[in-house]
Amino acid sequence: MDGNGRWAKQRGLARKDGHMAGERALSDVVEGAIEVGVKWLTAYAFSTENWSRPTDEVEFLMQFNEDVIARRSGELHEQGVRLIFAGRRGFPVPESVVAAMDKAMELTVDNDRLTLTVAFNYGGRAEIVDAVRALVRTGVGADDIDEAAIREHLYVRDMPDVDLMIRSSNEFRISNFLLWQIAYGELCFTETLWPDFGRENLFAAIREYQGRQRRFGGR
Ligand code: FPP
């Protein structure tokens, strides 16, 4: 959800105003995803690298995410959304944020219209490391480790491979996002800053995706 800060700066607003506008954008995208029958949507909210931002912004983002969960989980539940959080959950993530995540996941666990995964304190490399650690702890032999075994130990066991990744705000990188799941994902880049992104932008990206030819390495 890149571009919240730049969106705010362009308007002479504080970065936090950009994040608040970003929350509204995410809500519109969730509604759009439900409208067209998307079953899985993953939003990158805080990366393992975001801890290097200034302390006051990190503190704001922790509190902001906790507030967003509190503000939005009831509405997401009513929409039939299953909310999941993917990422490292222990220190330095504040306990109150972890508790809010657990509460929201518990509330929405039986919903099946859309699974919204929020990647929080998430890194694709960290996810693979954590999966391998969990796998090794099962006592599995080296020759029994295959792709299926690693996949089963990723943060969200039933998450399918990425079909479409959309990156907002004129950045052309993967930035450690779902590295395992994105192997054959189609990439879509847009200059739209995240707060200006809405369901119509999602639909446009899906139309672009529908025009792609996916060969998965075949012919
Ligand atoms: C990046 O903007 C965006 C974020 C750090 C995520 C903000 C979080 C949300 C909008 C909502 C999270 C949702 C839930 C359900 C918890 P940036 O600061 O990188 O902007 P820039 O690229 O302009 O610097």
Side-chain angles (χ1 to χ4, degrees):
M1 297 187 280
D2 270 302
N4 293 348
R6 276 165 283 171
W7 182 92
K9 195 171 176 202
Q10 281 174 3
R11 286 162 178 75
L13 300 169
R15 288 180 70 84
K16 68 176 175 47
D17 297 313
H19 294 311
M20 283 165 84
E23 174 189 342
R24 291 193 291 276
L26 180 60
S27 173
D28 196 55
V29 168
V30 166
E31 279 180 24
I34 292 172
E35 204 177 310
V36 294
V38 168
K39 300 300 283 183
W40 284 83
L41 181 68
T42 303
Y44 209 168
F46 193 88
S47 76
T48 46
E49 289 74 37
N50 284 152
W51 296 105
S52 66
R53 291 192 177 196
T55 314
D56 59 341
E57 181 164 0
V58 168
E59 280 172 3
F60 169 79
L61 285 172
M62 289 299 136
Q63 188 60 51
F64 177 65
N65 276 284
E66 188 180 328
D67 294 346
V68 173
I69 297 165
R71 264 199 299 274
R72 299 280 178 175
S73 26
E75 161 190 326
L76 290 167
H77 183 45
E78 277 167 27
Q79 290 169 307
V81 175
R82 175 170 68 134
L83 191 54
I84 288 180
F85 293 88
R88 287 188 171 161
R89 325 187 90 230
F91 183 81
V93 179
E95 278 172 28
S96 58
V97 177
V98 176
M101 289 174 180
D102 285 341
K103 196 170 156 201
M105 286 201 283
E106 212 172 291
L107 173 71
T108 61
V109 68
D110 292 324
N111 297 338
D112 62 3
R113 191 167 290 153
L114 168 76
T115 297
L116 171 64
T117 308
V118 176
F120 190 83
N121 193 22
Y122 175 88
R125 287 181 176 177
E127 177 173 34
I128 295 169
V129 169
D130 290 350
V132 172
R133 282 180 183 164
L135 190 53
V136 167
R137 275 191 209 107
T138 66
V140 68
D143 292 335
D144 292 323
I145 296 178
D146 57 11
E147 292 185 12
I150 291 181
R151 171 181 291 279
E152 272 168 31
H153 290 82
L154 296 173
Y155 295 138
V156 185
R157 211 162 282 198
D158 56 335
M159 180 188 282
D161 276 345
V162 168
D163 288 317
L164 170 64
M165 185 204 77
I166 304 167
R167 176 121 198 203
S168 58
S169 85
N170 230 10
E171 305 282 3
F172 303 95
R173 292 181 292 276
I174 307 293
S175 295
N176 209 6
F177 185 59
L178 301 178
L179 292 184
W180 182 277
Q181 301 87 338
I182 215 161
Y184 275 96
E186 295 292 330
L187 310 183
C188 172
F189 298 96
T190 169
E191 61 186 27
T192 304
L193 302 176
W194 178 254
D196 290 328
F197 198 96
R199 73 185 76 191
E200 290 306 326
N201 303 80
L202 172 71
F203 301 158
I206 293 174
R207 281 193 294 271
E208 188 180 326
Y209 166 83
Q210 286 171 326
R212 304 268 178 96
Q213 229 196 356
R214 303 188 78 191
R215 291 190 296 278
F216 300 97
R219 283 179 63 186

XYZ file of all heavy atoms in Angstrom, residues 38-117:
644
model
N -13.273 -12.017 -6.018
C -11.898 -12.368 -5.620
C -11.997 -13.074 -4.260
O -12.720 -12.632 -3.374
C -11.028 -11.086 -5.499
C -9.698 -11.383 -4.820
C -10.793 -10.477 -6.877
N -11.287 -14.180 -4.104
C -11.384 -14.938 -2.858
C -10.238 -14.649 -1.888
O -10.369 -14.860 -0.693
C -11.426 -16.453 -3.145
C -12.589 -16.900 -4.012
C -13.946 -16.588 -3.413
C -14.351 -17.529 -2.301
N -15.722 -17.202 -1.809
N -9.088 -14.233 -2.429
C -7.913 -13.975 -1.584
C -7.328 -12.606 -1.904
O -7.051 -12.318 -3.083
C -6.827 -15.032 -1.819
C -7.115 -16.354 -1.190
C -7.910 -17.344 -1.721
C -6.643 -16.840 0.076
N -7.940 -18.405 -0.856
C -7.166 -18.134 0.253
C -5.813 -16.307 1.070
C -6.894 -18.905 1.383
C -5.539 -17.071 2.192
C -6.083 -18.357 2.343
N -7.134 -11.796 -0.887
C -6.538 -10.470 -1.056
C -5.530 -10.275 0.073
O -5.846 -10.522 1.233
C -7.644 -9.413 -0.954
C -7.260 -7.953 -1.120
C -6.830 -7.671 -2.560
C -8.453 -7.063 -0.769
N -4.316 -9.894 -0.283
C -3.296 -9.699 0.741
C -2.755 -8.283 0.658
O -2.381 -7.833 -0.435
C -2.136 -10.712 0.555
O -2.692 -12.027 0.589
C -1.104 -10.581 1.666
N -2.748 -7.579 1.761
C -2.268 -6.194 1.779
C -1.033 -6.104 2.673
O -1.014 -6.647 3.781
C -3.369 -5.278 2.309
N -0.032 -5.407 2.167
C 1.230 -5.275 2.911
C 1.133 -4.047 3.816
O 1.143 -2.918 3.329
C 2.364 -5.085 1.894
C 3.723 -5.604 2.333
C 4.746 -5.707 1.396
C 3.993 -5.985 3.630
C 6.003 -6.196 1.743
C 5.247 -6.470 3.993
C 6.240 -6.565 3.048
O 7.485 -7.040 3.399
N 1.022 -4.272 5.121
C 0.810 -3.155 6.042
C 2.080 -2.731 6.785
O 2.232 -1.570 7.153
C -0.269 -3.508 7.055
N 2.981 -3.695 7.057
C 4.218 -3.339 7.781
C 5.240 -4.430 7.518
O 4.993 -5.607 7.786
C 3.930 -3.219 9.292
C 5.047 -2.559 10.058
C 5.089 -1.178 10.207
C 6.066 -3.313 10.629
C 6.125 -0.560 10.906
C 7.105 -2.710 11.332
C 7.133 -1.324 11.467
N 6.384 -4.039 6.998
C 7.385 -5.045 6.641
C 8.416 -5.200 7.752
O 8.553 -4.320 8.620
C 8.086 -4.644 5.338
O 9.021 -3.615 5.582
N 9.165 -6.300 7.687
C 10.232 -6.510 8.673
C 11.286 -5.405 8.540
O 12.062 -5.173 9.462
C 10.897 -7.897 8.487
O 11.157 -8.100 7.102
C 10.011 -9.016 8.987
N 11.319 -4.741 7.391
C 12.285 -3.655 7.173
C 11.754 -2.295 7.652
O 12.522 -1.343 7.822
C 12.649 -3.546 5.685
C 13.513 -4.683 5.154
C 12.748 -6.001 4.962
O 11.571 -5.969 4.552
O 13.308 -7.062 5.271
N 10.430 -2.207 7.866
C 9.853 -0.917 8.265
C 10.279 -0.472 9.678
O 10.101 0.687 10.048
C 8.318 -0.937 8.195
C 7.774 -0.844 6.776
O 6.696 -1.337 6.474
N 8.522 -0.192 5.873
N 10.857 -1.394 10.469
C 11.346 -1.004 11.799
C 12.441 0.043 11.704
O 12.742 0.731 12.681
C 11.881 -2.220 12.562
C 10.829 -3.236 12.866
C 10.661 -4.430 12.233
C 9.786 -3.156 13.847
N 9.578 -5.099 12.760
C 9.022 -4.342 13.760
C 9.416 -2.193 14.802
C 7.927 -4.591 14.578
C 8.310 -2.450 15.614
C 7.582 -3.635 15.496
N 13.058 0.175 10.521
C 14.146 1.153 10.387
C 13.617 2.580 10.174
O 14.398 3.518 10.078
C 15.044 0.753 9.214
O 14.314 0.869 8.007
N 12.307 2.747 10.122
C 11.760 4.110 10.005
C 11.933 4.853 11.340
O 12.154 4.217 12.378
C 10.267 4.043 9.646
C 10.053 3.517 8.244
C 8.630 3.720 7.788
N 8.502 3.259 6.408
C 7.500 3.563 5.613
N 6.511 4.315 6.031
N 7.460 3.107 4.386
N 11.795 6.191 11.319
C 11.929 6.936 12.586
C 10.973 6.382 13.651
O 9.840 5.981 13.325
C 11.546 8.367 12.193
C 11.744 8.434 10.713
C 11.513 7.060 10.174
N 11.450 6.372 14.912
C 10.675 5.771 16.010
C 9.246 6.302 16.083
O 8.309 5.541 16.313
C 11.380 6.059 17.368
O 12.762 5.781 17.176
C 10.831 5.198 18.476
N 9.081 7.624 15.891
C 7.714 8.146 16.049
C 6.778 7.593 14.972
O 5.609 7.320 15.231
C 7.691 9.686 16.095
C 8.284 10.324 14.846
O 9.024 9.628 14.108
O 8.007 11.505 14.598
N 7.304 7.354 13.759
C 6.430 6.779 12.725
C 6.135 5.304 13.020
O 5.007 4.839 12.845
C 7.034 6.923 11.319
C 6.066 6.341 10.293
C 6.309 6.725 8.848
O 7.254 7.470 8.578
O 5.517 6.270 7.999
N 7.159 4.569 13.492
C 6.938 3.158 13.840
C 5.875 3.069 14.929
O 4.925 2.288 14.839
C 8.260 2.493 14.283
C 7.999 1.134 14.916
C 9.220 2.337 13.103
N 6.021 3.925 15.953
C 5.046 3.896 17.054
C 3.657 4.244 16.542
O 2.659 3.612 16.902
C 5.454 4.875 18.166
C 6.530 4.262 19.059
C 7.117 5.257 20.052
O 6.656 6.428 20.104
O 8.059 4.862 20.770
N 3.608 5.250 15.654
C 2.302 5.609 15.092
C 1.703 4.426 14.327
O 0.520 4.094 14.501
C 2.405 6.827 14.147
C 1.130 7.024 13.369
C 0.028 7.626 13.967
C 0.994 6.537 12.068
C -1.178 7.749 13.285
C -0.207 6.659 11.380
C -1.293 7.271 11.986
N 2.524 3.768 13.507
C 1.997 2.671 12.676
C 1.501 1.492 13.520
O 0.505 0.850 13.175
C 3.051 2.211 11.655
C 3.245 3.169 10.471
C 4.438 2.750 9.628
C 1.984 3.257 9.598
N 2.196 1.216 14.637
C 1.737 0.144 15.527
C 0.351 0.486 16.076
O -0.584 -0.298 16.003
C 2.722 -0.065 16.695
C 4.042 -0.683 16.289
S 3.817 -2.324 15.575
C 4.893 -2.222 14.179
N 0.240 1.705 16.608
C -1.049 2.133 17.181
C -2.119 2.207 16.087
O -3.257 1.788 16.279
C -0.863 3.502 17.869
C -2.070 3.973 18.661
C -2.435 3.002 19.782
O -1.587 2.615 20.568
N -3.695 2.577 19.835
N -1.710 2.708 14.915
C -2.665 2.867 13.814
C -3.226 1.502 13.392
O -4.434 1.341 13.230
C -1.958 3.541 12.624
C -2.818 3.687 11.402
C -3.936 4.511 11.414
C -2.515 3.007 10.233
C -4.738 4.641 10.286
C -3.298 3.130 9.106
C -4.409 3.953 9.129
N -2.344 0.535 13.259
C -2.822 -0.794 12.854
C -3.761 -1.374 13.904
O -4.779 -1.981 13.557
C -1.643 -1.726 12.561
C -1.139 -1.534 11.137
O -1.763 -1.989 10.190
N -0.034 -0.823 10.971
N -3.406 -1.167 15.170
C -4.292 -1.655 16.238
C -5.662 -0.974 16.140
O -6.704 -1.630 16.236
C -3.628 -1.361 17.599
C -4.360 -1.987 18.755
C -3.675 -1.692 20.094
O -2.442 -1.557 20.145
O -4.413 -1.595 21.091
N -5.640 0.340 15.887
C -6.902 1.086 15.786
C -7.713 0.647 14.564
O -8.938 0.535 14.628
C -6.628 2.598 15.684
C -6.018 3.155 16.963
O -6.044 2.454 17.994
O -5.490 4.287 16.912
N -7.009 0.426 13.449
C -7.719 0.000 12.224
C -8.432 -1.337 12.478
O -9.587 -1.519 12.104
C -6.756 -0.140 11.016
C -7.476 -0.747 9.809
C -6.161 1.200 10.629
N -7.717 -2.246 13.148
C -8.316 -3.557 13.441
C -9.570 -3.362 14.296
O -10.634 -3.918 14.014
C -7.289 -4.481 14.148
C -6.099 -4.762 13.227
C -7.951 -5.788 14.568
C -4.876 -5.360 13.918
N -9.446 -2.518 15.330
C -10.594 -2.281 16.215
C -11.747 -1.613 15.460
O -12.905 -1.979 15.624
C -10.158 -1.419 17.401
N -11.394 -0.640 14.597
C -12.423 0.108 13.855
C -13.115 -0.734 12.804
O -14.290 -0.561 12.539
C -11.750 1.270 13.108
C -11.788 2.594 13.803
C -11.548 3.744 12.850
N -10.268 3.735 12.163
C -9.142 4.251 12.666
N -9.140 4.781 13.863
N -8.027 4.230 11.954
N -12.351 -1.613 12.148
C -12.866 -2.258 10.933
C -13.277 -3.708 11.076
O -13.923 -4.236 10.170
C -11.800 -2.180 9.824
C -11.406 -0.768 9.419
C -12.406 -0.163 8.483
N -12.048 1.212 8.133
C -12.697 1.948 7.247
N -13.741 1.452 6.609
N -12.319 3.177 6.992
N -12.881 -4.397 12.175
C -13.160 -5.838 12.151
C -14.654 -6.171 12.159
O -15.059 -7.124 11.503
C -12.397 -6.646 13.201
O -12.049 -5.914 14.281
N -15.467 -5.359 12.861
C -16.909 -5.620 12.871
C -17.479 -5.547 11.471
O -18.228 -6.432 11.012
N -17.096 -4.488 10.764
C -17.588 -4.271 9.382
C -17.097 -5.392 8.447
O -17.866 -5.922 7.641
C -17.075 -2.890 8.971
C -17.017 -2.530 7.542
C -16.245 -1.189 7.371
O -16.331 -0.311 8.255
O -15.555 -1.042 6.343
N -15.838 -5.783 8.599
C -15.301 -6.862 7.754
C -16.052 -8.169 8.035
O -16.387 -8.923 7.124
C -13.795 -7.042 7.998
C -12.909 -5.904 7.469
C -11.494 -6.010 8.029
C -12.860 -5.905 5.928
N -16.334 -8.396 9.308
C -17.081 -9.601 9.694
C -18.452 -9.608 9.028
O -18.885 -10.606 8.447
C -17.192 -9.624 11.220
C -17.863 -10.840 11.756
N -17.580 -12.110 11.307
C -18.827 -10.983 12.714
C -18.336 -12.982 11.954
N -19.098 -12.322 12.805
N -19.135 -8.455 9.069
C -20.460 -8.366 8.440
C -20.385 -8.588 6.933
O -21.318 -9.074 6.313
C -21.084 -6.994 8.707
C -21.768 -6.932 10.061
C -22.116 -5.512 10.470
O -22.309 -4.661 9.575
O -22.166 -5.264 11.687
N -19.258 -8.226 6.346
C -19.081 -8.423 4.899
C -18.707 -9.864 4.552
O -18.558 -10.200 3.384
C -17.975 -7.489 4.371
C -18.360 -6.019 4.369
C -17.141 -5.137 4.087
O -16.113 -5.246 4.742
N -17.257 -4.268 3.104
N -18.521 -10.692 5.553
C -18.160 -12.094 5.304
C -16.676 -12.290 5.034
O -16.257 -13.255 4.403
N -15.864 -11.350 5.540
C -14.415 -11.422 5.304
C -13.733 -12.182 6.452
O -13.998 -11.914 7.627
C -13.809 -10.001 5.197
C -12.288 -10.063 5.076
C -14.414 -9.257 4.007
N -12.874 -13.122 6.079
C -12.014 -13.777 7.074
C -10.709 -12.979 7.127
O -10.062 -12.784 6.094
C -11.737 -15.225 6.643
C -10.747 -15.949 7.544
C -10.664 -17.442 7.239
N -10.073 -17.714 5.947
C -9.127 -18.644 5.732
N -8.681 -19.386 6.732
N -8.644 -18.856 4.521
N -10.377 -12.497 8.288
C -9.178 -11.662 8.439
C -8.049 -12.502 9.026
O -8.239 -13.197 10.033
C -9.524 -10.488 9.364
C -8.559 -9.329 9.494
C -8.205 -8.721 8.146
C -9.172 -8.246 10.392
N -6.897 -12.434 8.364
C -5.728 -13.200 8.813
C -4.538 -12.244 8.861
O -4.457 -11.320 8.052
C -5.440 -14.347 7.797
C -6.510 -15.429 7.915
C -4.062 -14.967 8.014
C -6.298 -16.573 6.962
N -3.634 -12.483 9.785
C -2.403 -11.686 9.821
C -1.226 -12.618 9.572
O -1.148 -13.694 10.166
C -2.266 -10.973 11.169
C -3.334 -9.939 11.343
C -4.567 -10.279 11.885
C -3.139 -8.642 10.895
C -5.589 -9.345 11.996
C -4.147 -7.696 10.993
C -5.372 -8.048 11.547
N -0.344 -12.200 8.680
C 0.832 -13.002 8.354
C 2.072 -12.211 8.724
O 2.194 -11.037 8.353
C 0.831 -13.326 6.861
N 2.978 -12.849 9.452
C 4.213 -12.166 9.822
C 4.699 -12.656 11.171
O 4.080 -13.533 11.784
N 5.833 -12.108 11.606
C 6.372 -12.478 12.921
C 5.594 -11.746 13.994
O 5.398 -10.542 13.905
C 7.867 -12.124 12.992
C 8.688 -13.072 12.150
C 10.175 -12.881 12.348
N 10.892 -13.958 11.683
C 12.164 -13.929 11.344
N 12.891 -12.854 11.609
N 12.726 -14.950 10.740
N 5.162 -12.464 15.018
C 4.228 -11.882 15.962
C 4.859 -11.452 17.276
O 4.258 -10.669 18.006
C 3.104 -12.868 16.277
C 2.707 -13.708 15.104
C 1.504 -14.532 15.413
N 0.317 -13.806 15.071
C -0.724 -13.640 15.886
N -0.725 -14.150 17.069
N -1.778 -12.955 15.476
N 6.017 -11.951 17.612
C 6.582 -11.638 18.930
C 7.191 -10.242 18.994
O 6.972 -9.404 18.111
N 7.963 -10.000 20.045
C 8.688 -8.743 20.216
C 9.439 -8.392 18.932
O 9.987 -9.297 18.294
C 9.670 -8.918 21.390
C 10.433 -7.682 21.724
C 9.858 -6.697 22.503
C 11.724 -7.505 21.211
C 10.582 -5.545 22.795
C 12.433 -6.346 21.499
C 11.858 -5.373 22.289
N 9.461 -7.152 18.480
C 8.988 -5.911 19.112
C 7.547 -5.522 18.778
O 7.160 -4.383 19.029
C 9.966 -4.881 18.557
C 10.396 -5.407 17.226
C 10.303 -6.892 17.290
N 6.748 -6.420 18.223
C 5.345 -6.056 18.001
C 4.667 -5.950 19.370
O 4.719 -6.906 20.147
C 4.616 -7.116 17.136
C 3.153 -6.741 16.943
C 5.306 -7.296 15.793
N 4.045 -4.804 19.683
C 3.424 -4.657 21.004
C 2.364 -5.740 21.253
O 1.650 -6.129 20.336
C 2.764 -3.270 20.939
C 3.483 -2.539 19.863
C 3.921 -3.578 18.872
N 2.298 -6.180 22.503
C 1.347 -7.240 22.862
C -0.086 -6.857 22.544
O -0.902 -7.696 22.160
C 1.456 -7.567 24.357
C 2.600 -8.514 24.665
C 2.842 -8.681 26.152
O 1.885 -8.528 26.939
O 4.001 -8.955 26.520
N -0.393 -5.561 22.694
C -1.778 -5.137 22.442
C -2.137 -5.300 20.957
O -3.280 -5.570 20.614
C -1.972 -3.679 22.870
O -1.057 -2.848 22.177
N -1.143 -5.151 20.078
C -1.398 -5.329 18.636
C -1.646 -6.811 18.349
O -2.582 -7.176 17.631
C -0.213 -4.795 17.791
C -0.441 -5.055 16.304
C 0.003 -3.311 18.034
N -0.830 -7.667 18.969
C -0.998 -9.118 18.780
C -2.378 -9.543 19.302
O -3.103 -10.310 18.651
C 0.132 -9.907 19.485
C -0.100 -11.407 19.374
C 1.493 -9.541 18.885
N -2.771 -8.978 20.444
C -4.074 -9.336 21.021
C -5.209 -8.893 20.096
O -6.175 -9.632 19.884
C -4.226 -8.688 22.393
N -5.066 -7.693 19.507
C -6.104 -7.199 18.587
C -6.189 -8.098 17.355
O -7.285 -8.414 16.868
C -5.790 -5.753 18.175
N -5.026 -8.539 16.852
C -5.012 -9.441 15.690
C -5.731 -10.746 16.026
O -6.564 -11.222 15.261
C -3.572 -9.787 15.311
C -2.785 -8.656 14.693
S -1.088 -9.269 14.497
C -0.319 -7.870 13.782
N -5.379 -11.324 17.187
C -5.976 -12.606 17.579
C -7.497 -12.489 17.696
O -8.237 -13.356 17.244
C -5.386 -13.090 18.919
C -3.968 -13.621 18.738
O -3.598 -13.947 17.593
O -3.228 -13.694 19.734
N -7.928 -11.383 18.287
C -9.360 -11.174 18.492
C -10.089 -11.087 17.140
O -11.131 -11.704 16.936
C -9.558 -9.879 19.296
C -10.915 -9.729 19.902
C -10.935 -8.549 20.863
C -12.369 -8.051 21.006
N -12.450 -6.691 21.490
N -9.494 -10.342 16.209
C -10.124 -10.165 14.889
C -10.135 -11.487 14.107
O -11.100 -11.809 13.416
C -9.376 -9.082 14.109
N -9.054 -12.252 14.245
C -8.994 -13.539 13.519
C -10.037 -14.501 14.072
O -10.710 -15.195 13.316
C -7.592 -14.144 13.619
C -6.597 -13.410 12.750
S -5.133 -14.376 12.338
C -4.231 -14.270 13.830
N -10.166 -14.469 15.405
C -11.145 -15.353 16.057
C -12.568 -14.996 15.629
O -13.369 -15.868 15.302
C -11.004 -15.167 17.566
C -11.291 -16.394 18.402
C -10.930 -16.108 19.845
O -9.716 -15.962 20.151
O -11.859 -15.970 20.651
N -12.837 -13.686 15.590
C -14.176 -13.222 15.221
C -14.569 -13.665 13.816
O -15.715 -14.004 13.548
C -14.219 -11.681 15.318
C -15.479 -10.979 14.829
C -16.645 -11.231 15.789
C -15.246 -9.459 14.684
N -13.596 -13.633 12.909
C -13.921 -13.794 11.477
C -13.547 -15.176 10.932
O -13.647 -15.403 9.722
C -13.181 -12.711 10.646
O -11.763 -12.871 10.810
C -13.574 -11.301 11.079
N -13.132 -16.070 11.810
C -12.542 -17.341 11.362
C -13.440 -18.172 10.443
O -12.952 -18.871 9.555
C -12.043 -18.161 12.586
C -13.211 -18.651 13.432
C -11.174 -19.326 12.161
N -14.763 -18.076 10.641
C -15.655 -18.929 9.852
C -16.146 -18.273 8.565
O -16.938 -18.861 7.830
C -16.864 -19.346 10.704
C -16.435 -20.284 11.829
O -15.522 -21.105 11.606
O -16.997 -20.168 12.939
N -15.707 -17.054 8.297
C -16.174 -16.366 7.081
C -15.472 -16.907 5.846
O -14.293 -17.261 5.905
C -15.925 -14.856 7.201
C -16.725 -14.248 8.338
O -17.724 -14.808 8.753
N -16.277 -13.115 8.841
N -16.204 -16.935 4.723
C -15.561 -17.508 3.532
C -15.803 -16.730 2.240
O -15.550 -17.223 1.155
C -15.971 -18.979 3.358
C -17.469 -19.135 3.152
O -18.167 -18.097 3.091
O -17.933 -20.287 3.065
N -16.315 -15.499 2.363
C -16.532 -14.741 1.121
C -15.206 -14.255 0.546
O -14.974 -14.329 -0.655
C -17.472 -13.562 1.400
C -17.953 -12.909 0.124
C -19.099 -11.966 0.350
N -20.315 -12.647 0.713
C -21.294 -12.110 1.440
N -21.176 -10.888 1.892
N -22.366 -12.796 1.725
N -14.353 -13.763 1.422
C -13.036 -13.268 1.010
C -12.076 -13.460 2.183
O -12.451 -13.212 3.323
C -13.123 -11.762 0.683
C -11.792 -11.017 0.505
C -11.164 -11.353 -0.855
C -11.994 -9.503 0.599
N -10.866 -13.908 1.903
C -9.840 -13.932 2.947
C -8.943 -12.730 2.735
O -8.305 -12.604 1.693
C -9.005 -15.231 2.890
O -9.870 -16.343 3.157
C -7.899 -15.211 3.946
N -8.945 -11.827 3.705
C -8.058 -10.658 3.652
C -6.882 -10.936 4.568
O -7.044 -11.062 5.782
C -8.809 -9.403 4.113
C -7.946 -8.142 4.313
C -7.323 -7.680 2.992
C -8.766 -7.012 4.934
N -5.713 -11.107 3.976
C -4.514 -11.306 4.781
C -3.787 -9.980 4.890
O -3.505 -9.344 3.878
C -3.578 -12.348 4.136
O -4.332 -13.526 3.862
C -2.417 -12.693 5.058
